[in-house]
Amino acid sequence: MSSTTLDPTESLKHRFSEGKLHHAVLLIGNSISITGNAALGLAREILGMAEENEDHPDLFHLRPSGKARIITVEKTRALIANLNRTSNQGGAKVAIIHEADRMRKEAANAFLKTLEEPPLGTYLLLLTTRPYSLLATIRSRCLQARLQTDGLAETSEDWENWVKNYRSWILGLLDRESLKQDRVSPVFAAYGLTATLLSMIKKQADDEFKAAKEKLSSLDDKERDAFEAGLRKGTRANLLRQLSEATRAIAIECMTAENSRKIAGKLARVIQALEKNIGLLEVNLKDEAAIEDFYLSSLRIWSSQ
């Protein structure tokens, strides 16, 4: 299915009001909070819920469980059974599948038939921050809508100050004369940048979890653990994405006619080092080890001849 454009949430609501909303919508965002809020807003429109309400007899949720954040086949079959029952209020039914990419293969396969042939009046809202981790057969059966980011870190004073220090660190590493005088301070600065970035990730994730906590009263302990783990991973991914953008901007600023090729080559190697460590984070390398490795790799790259 093609993707919606320009304010996708409002576009989807408009499609529903005209009776043209596809029964399966894949909401793609940079955080589970963004996708969750968008899905709830669309569910309210479909079910005629009041703006302040978050529960409805015909609104069903399927969530990952545990710190491994797995959607099991048992929970998937339980959702399917609920959707195949008559609507409690005689209207539409909505299922929100949170972090749909966390479905195990058995769960995804069990869900596929319902996705292809849903019960009459049923809408399936699948949420993900990693759309290509979903089975292609699931993606292809959904209308895809990419949501806007919330831009929390870009407006943070802490983030702006951190970027200034990061810029100064890179400029210092590119200054050969300065490096000859002092090769120790950049190493300590790398550890300082690492510690501050980790602190920002933790603070932002803590703030987001605290803000969402009141809405999680209906979740069991394992679902709450999964939500918190997913939220923290999403916060980290957003800040590392911004780190990549900041690195590119600083490198471009440093380019001249004489050094552009050399700077571009170093930038490519630094981004490669960042992407390598982002990949390792996805397989549960500790944040501290991955980010520290990135900065030490960056130090070697930027300071090389």
Side-chain angles (χ1 to χ4, degrees):
M1 304 290 297
S2 60
S3 299
T4 61
T5 59
L6 298 177
D7 198 356
T9 305
E10 292 306 314
S11 174
L12 293 169
K13 290 178 181 179
H14 183 67
R15 287 184 185 219
F16 173 74
S17 68
E18 293 188 332
K20 297 178 181 178
L21 182 63
H22 189 60
H23 71 269
V25 179
L26 178 62
L27 296 172
I28 305 167
N30 285 339
S31 80
I32 61 176
S33 296
I34 290 172
T35 56
N37 290 337
L40 183 57
L42 183 54
R44 285 179 177 135
E45 183 76 15
I46 294 170
L47 296 172
M49 297 166 60
E51 186 66 28
E52 67 275 10
N53 288 351
E54 299 195 8
D55 297 314
H56 187 281
D58 293 311
L59 175 60
F60 305 94
H61 297 269
L62 178 60
R63 300 178 183 272
S65 293
K67 293 190 176 179
R69 296 163 53 227
I70 297 299
I71 295 179
T72 64
V73 67
E74 292 81 10
K75 291 181 72 173
T76 303
R77 286 173 176 156
L79 171 71
I80 293 168
N82 282 326
L83 294 178
N84 280 311
R85 295 191 180 102
T86 303
S87 167
N88 288 286
Q89 294 197 349
K93 291 171 286 184
V94 175
I96 300 177
I97 296 85
H98 300 262
E99 298 186 80
D101 52 275
R102 304 305 299 176
M103 278 187 175
R104 283 189 165 168
K105 187 175 181 180
E106 298 84 353
N109 287 334
F111 184 68
L112 196 54
K113 184 176 180 181
T114 300
L115 189 62
E116 292 172 335
E117 301 175 11
L120 186 65
T122 297
Y123 293 89
L124 306 171
L125 310 182
L126 288 75
L127 320 184
T128 185
T129 59
R130 301 168 66 233
Y132 294 105
S133 293
L134 281 162
L135 290 180
T137 48
I138 287 183
R139 289 200 314 272
S140 66
R141 286 163 174 76
C142 298
L143 173 69
Q144 298 180 34
R146 186 169 290 277
L147 305 173
Q148 299 173 351
T149 62
D150 56 7
L152 287 174
E154 292 97 328
T155 60
S156 162
E157 184 177 349
D158 288 342
W159 174 256
E160 296 296 336
N161 289 334
W162 184 90
V163 170
K164 288 178 183 177
N165 291 331
Y166 180 49
R167 176 182 176 276
S168 296
W169 181 69
I170 292 176
L171 293 178
L173 292 173
L174 291 172
D175 185 342
R176 302 301 305 171
E177 292 304 316
S178 175
L179 276 179
K180 288 177 183 178
Q181 300 297 321
D182 182 6
R183 292 183 175 274
V184 176
S185 294
V187 177
F188 284 110
Y191 284 107
L193 287 167
T194 298
T196 307
L197 183 60
L198 288 168
S199 177
M200 281 194 294
I201 291 171
K202 183 179 185 305
K203 181 181 183 301
Q204 186 171 324
D206 286 347
D207 289 347
E208 288 188 40
F209 184 66
K210 184 177 180 181
K213 201 170 183 179
E214 293 180 2
K215 301 178 181 180
L216 305 179
S217 57
S218 61
L219 276 61
D220 62 35
D221 289 343
K222 288 185 177 181
E223 289 177 338
R224 194 174 292 110
D225 285 345
F227 177 86
E228 182 174 6
L231 186 148
R232 292 187 184 280
K233 283 179 178 288
T235 299
R236 182 187 67 200
N238 284 336
L239 282 172
L240 293 181
R241 189 179 300 111
Q242 291 176 235
L243 168 59
S244 177
E245 293 170 0
T247 303
R248 293 178 194 277
I250 294 166
I252 291 170
E253 177 189 341
C254 294
M255 287 182 182
T256 64
E258 293 77 20
N259 72 8
S260 60
R261 178 174 291 184
K262 181 182 287 187
I263 295 294
K266 290 183 177 185
L267 173 62
R269 290 162 60 199
V270 168
I271 297 301
Q272 185 178 37
L274 179 59
E275 291 175 348
K276 179 197 79 172
N277 280 288
I278 289 174
L280 291 173
L281 285 168
E282 290 298 323
V283 293
N284 295 325
L285 180 67
K286 288 187 176 180
D287 290 13
E288 294 85 350
I291 295 175
E292 182 180 301
D293 180 80
F294 165 68
Y295 281 112
L296 294 178
S297 297
S298 296
L299 187 154
R300 289 191 293 271
I301 294 165
W302 289 123
S303 62
S304 63
Q305 291 281 3

